[in-house]
Amino acid sequence: MVRIASTLMLLVALSSAALAKNKLSFHVLVNGEEVPYSLFSFFVMPGEVLDVSANTDFELQGNDLSVINISVMAYKVEAPAKPGAYSVAISKGEERMVLNILVLTPMSNKKGEYLNGYRIGNYPARMLNNDPIYERPKGLFEVTEATANLQLTPHFNISQFLCKQAGGYPKYLIVRERLLLKLEYLLAIAQAEGLAIETFGFISGYRTPFYNKSIGNVPYSRHVWGGAADIFIDQNGDGQMDDLNNDGVVNDKDVRYFYNLVEAEYNKQEYKKFIGGLGFYKKNSRHSGFIHVDVRGKKARW
């Protein structure tokens, strides 16, 4: 408990410092994924090794992790065997990046449909169209009251992605790193349009197979693999889509405004790695109007 508490204190302290500046002036690669932000998170299995490199010399420090200095521009970081939240600090001069390493609880610990009392349900036995993006997750991250509000990136935290199903802690989830990068990218696009938001409103992030089935969704929804988010723009904090087109009313045109904002990025070179699904959903008695975004790697529209 002492180790966990000290690690969380380090995460909070480092995360607060990182939020002061969201982007780095140098390029960091983690397992080949370019991460331009001063705060980011990777979900890894116990003992998994991450390759961390940059286009310049840098220093990497972390508690409770095995760190190997390969060169002045590259390190290997081995995740601990014990699931939980850890971090390393990457620094170059006065710049600092916090890299959260969130170690998953193996799915082999699941008993029937439950993981430590939390109902997960069952993932499909076969990958859809033999596509590896539908491979069953090897593990899920355990979320406790202490980690529920942990910042994953400068503008998104764990609580936004939690499944809506009833039940107390611990809860479990997985979030694709590429989705986190896409959400940060889209948020910057919205802010550049003059929309005064620090994050998106969320209708849905991760869904357990059990919850996804209970709401009548298709079994291969990208939400079940942590690769999708249903989001809206809420500047006034009322939990609903805002009047984005400034016509004096909130309706489907505002959802279309947000949809078109995302679609306009489709042919840009910097958006290529974010290609995926984009869906339009009207307001109903249960939720605000919203758009669906995912990182399936191929274009899908509805």
Side-chain angles (χ1 to χ4, degrees):
M1 289 300 294
V2 173
R3 185 202 62 73
I4 294 173
S6 64
T7 299
L8 288 174
M9 287 176 66
L10 174 65
L11 286 171
V12 171
L14 292 176
S15 297
S16 297
L19 287 172
K21 184 179 180 184
N22 293 334
K23 279 210 167 185
L24 301 168
S25 64
F26 59 99
H27 300 289
V28 175
L29 292 176
V30 182
N31 284 358
E33 186 79 79
E34 184 175 349
V35 180
Y37 304 108
S38 57
L39 171 63
F40 202 72
S41 304
F42 271 74
F43 292 80
V44 301
M45 289 296 290
E48 185 175 338
V49 175
L50 288 87
D51 293 312
V52 182
S53 62
N55 64 339
T56 184
D57 60 294
F58 68 97
E59 294 184 0
L60 186 151
Q61 295 179 321
N63 295 335
D64 305 310
L65 298 105
S66 174
V67 176
I68 301 173
N69 186 194
I70 304 300
S71 72
V72 295
M73 299 169 63
Y75 291 78
K76 286 187 180 292
V77 180
E78 183 177 345
K82 183 178 177 61
Y86 303 82
S87 74
V88 297
I90 295 170
S91 58
K92 168 68 176 175
E94 296 299 314
E95 286 190 87
R96 175 171 285 197
M97 172 190 178
V98 176
L99 180 63
N100 292 331
I101 298 175
L102 305 181
V103 182
L104 308 178
T105 297
M107 291 289 271
S108 58
N109 291 5
K110 203 157 112 355
K111 298 187 184 305
E113 294 192 358
Y114 293 83
L115 186 57
N116 292 339
Y118 186 73
R119 192 170 186 179
I120 305 299
N122 294 308
Y123 278 82
R126 297 179 180 178
M127 295 183 290
L128 180 64
N129 298 324
N130 209 33
D131 189 332
I133 68 170
Y134 295 101
E135 183 179 359
R136 283 181 286 184
K138 295 178 181 178
L140 297 172
F141 181 69
E142 181 175 294
V143 182
T144 65
E145 289 186 84
T147 56
N149 291 310
L150 179 68
Q151 286 291 137
L152 297 174
T153 72
H155 299 99
F156 300 97
N157 65 54
I158 281 182
S159 67
Q160 292 171 293
F161 296 91
L162 284 175
C163 185
K164 305 297 185 185
Q165 76 185 54
Y169 294 100
K171 303 175 187 288
Y172 290 85
L173 56 58
I174 188 76
V175 184
R176 300 291 181 183
E177 291 82 11
R178 185 65 60 88
L179 178 65
L180 293 173
L181 290 168
K182 182 171 184 173
L183 290 171
E184 283 286 347
Y185 178 99
L186 294 177
L187 182 65
I189 295 300
Q191 291 172 333
E193 286 291 306
L195 298 168
I197 51 173
E198 288 299 314
T199 190
F200 292 130
F202 275 67
I203 298 293
S204 184
Y206 172 72
R207 295 181 196 148
T208 64
F210 163 72
Y211 179 78
N212 188 67
K213 183 178 180 180
S214 75
I215 61 174
N217 212 328
V218 295
Y220 290 96
S221 166
R222 290 307 303 151
H223 289 275
V224 177
W225 281 264
D230 296 336
I231 55 177
F232 59 96
I233 291 175
D234 180 17
Q235 300 175 94
N236 60 14
D238 67 353
Q240 301 288 320
M241 178 71 87
D242 285 346
D243 177 17
L244 302 182
N245 64 355
N246 297 312
D247 65 356
V249 294
V250 177
N251 55 27
D252 298 341
K253 293 180 180 179
D254 300 300
V255 181
R256 184 61 64 184
Y257 178 99
F258 190 15
Y259 182 103
N260 290 341
L261 196 65
V262 175
E263 182 71 336
E265 298 299 308
Y266 187 81
N267 291 320
K268 295 182 180 179
Q269 184 60 38
E270 60 268 33
Y271 192 74
K272 294 299 183 184
K273 66 179 181 180
F274 300 135
I275 298 260
L278 177 59
F280 173 96
Y281 290 86
K282 298 179 179 181
K283 177 180 179 179
N284 63 26
S285 60
R286 301 187 309 278
H287 56 66
S288 165
F290 64 90
I291 68 167
H292 165 106
V293 296
D294 66 48
V295 285
R296 69 183 67 193
K298 52 192 173 186
K299 184 176 182 179
R301 296 292 181 269
W302 61 92

